[in-house]
Amino acid sequence: MRKLLFHVVIVLLGACAAHSQAAPPPQAAKPSNEVRPAIRWTQFDYTCEGGTKLTVYLHNETAKVRYRGTSYLMTQTRSADGNRYSDGKVVWWGKGNGGFLEEDAPDGSGKMIVKDCQLDQPLNASWATAGLVTGTIAYLQRTALPPNAIILVQLQEVSRADAPARTIAQEKITLGDRQVPVPFELKFEPTKIDPKHSYVVSARIVVDDKLRFLSDKAYPVLTRDNPSHVEIILKPAEADAEK
């Protein structure tokens, strides 16, 4: 009986050893080459009551507010007056060149944290209050477009040569019974405009998903003493120009 048990133990140990030799070693995880692009924040520096400093960083619908060593991460909320960002406890209100920071309360009676904040580098007054770029779209060719023609106008930031243009605002216009010149209005949030950056308006006309006209040059607006009203002249797309 003892010999039988001994042989059974030997067989089991041999099977375990064979299994351990057959099992492949674990492979190390391959390093990932994917790198998330850094978030581009637009910085606004304010001087508030008593000379205190406050900084707001904006990215799309997110705001980071820093005041007296405390940082608040907020998201944009609906507001009929100015730009409102909140984290549920504290709210930042920005309008034009000014703003204030207060405790967030449902009835709007939250305790004021700091007020009378003014931008250290004021935005251009003509568009900072209106938040509007206006103009007209036209072309010089003597040809009429069908009513279903679509005009796409975009306000874009073009500050970095090594990065694609960032769209700030856009408007789609169905031509209908109108002919050029066609007026347009691009509404934007003034606090999303950095006075140190460059912005342009571009446009194109599409008919049945086919490009017919486009702007072949930049039309600078807003910053660097550029206007908030432009008259854009479009050129025929290559296929139409060759006809």
Side-chain angles (χ1 to χ4, degrees):
M1 185 66 180
R2 289 182 178 179
K3 289 184 178 181
L4 179 60
L5 291 175
F6 176 76
H7 285 295
V8 170
V9 170
I10 293 298
V11 172
L12 290 175
L13 290 175
C16 291
H19 177 74
S20 63
Q21 291 177 357
Q27 295 183 353
K30 295 182 180 180
S32 175
N33 294 326
E34 295 183 0
V35 178
R36 293 183 179 180
I39 296 177
R40 294 176 56 192
W41 296 93
T42 302
Q43 179 176 339
F44 297 89
D45 296 314
Y46 292 81
T47 299
C48 307
E49 61 177 346
T52 56
K53 296 293 184 178
L54 179 145
T55 303
V56 177
Y57 302 88
L58 295 180
H59 174 73
N60 294 337
E61 296 182 354
T62 303
K64 290 192 299 185
V65 180
R66 292 181 179 175
Y67 178 67
R68 287 189 169 179
T70 301
S71 295
Y72 307 92
L73 184 61
M74 306 178 178
T75 55
Q76 189 174 17
T77 60
R78 291 186 178 182
S79 169
D81 184 20
N83 299 307
R84 186 181 190 275
Y85 297 84
S86 174
D87 62 359
K89 296 181 179 179
V90 175
V91 60
W92 164 255
W93 286 84
K95 183 177 181 181
N97 292 314
F100 58 88
L101 190 68
E102 69 176 3
E103 295 179 354
D104 198 354
D107 59 357
S109 60
K111 179 182 178 181
M112 185 67 63
I113 298 174
V114 65
K115 60 182 180 179
D116 298 334
C117 299
Q118 293 293 320
L119 277 171
D120 293 344
Q121 294 183 357
L123 302 174
N124 184 299
S126 63
W127 55 264
T129 302
L132 193 68
V133 171
T134 62
T136 58
I137 304 295
Y139 54 83
L140 302 180
Q141 285 65 28
R142 294 184 177 180
T143 179
L145 290 173
N148 66 330
I150 302 295
I151 304 174
L152 177 63
V153 193
Q154 294 181 314
L155 170 63
Q156 297 178 313
E157 179 192 343
V158 292
S159 303
R160 296 178 57 184
D162 60 343
R166 182 169 66 97
T167 300
I168 305 297
Q170 67 178 19
E171 181 184 13
K172 283 186 178 181
I173 305 169
T174 301
L175 188 61
D177 295 331
R178 295 171 294 183
Q179 292 299 325
V180 295
V182 176
F184 69 86
E185 287 188 351
L186 294 173
K187 297 180 180 180
F188 62 90
E189 296 181 6
T191 53
K192 290 187 176 181
I193 302 298
D194 189 331
K196 301 185 293 293
H197 291 183
S198 299
Y199 301 87
V200 301
V201 174
S202 63
R204 60 181 182 268
I205 300 177
V206 176
V207 178
D208 296 328
D209 296 327
K210 179 181 178 182
L211 181 63
R212 293 290 303 274
F213 291 89
L214 74 163
S215 49
D216 64 343
K217 68 175 185 177
Y219 289 83
V221 292
L222 302 179
T223 58
R224 305 178 189 275
D225 295 325
N226 286 306
S228 58
H229 180 90
V230 288
E231 297 179 354
I232 299 178
I233 302 297
L234 303 183
K235 300 293 184 180
E238 291 184 4
D240 289 333
E242 293 173 357
K243 293 181 180 181

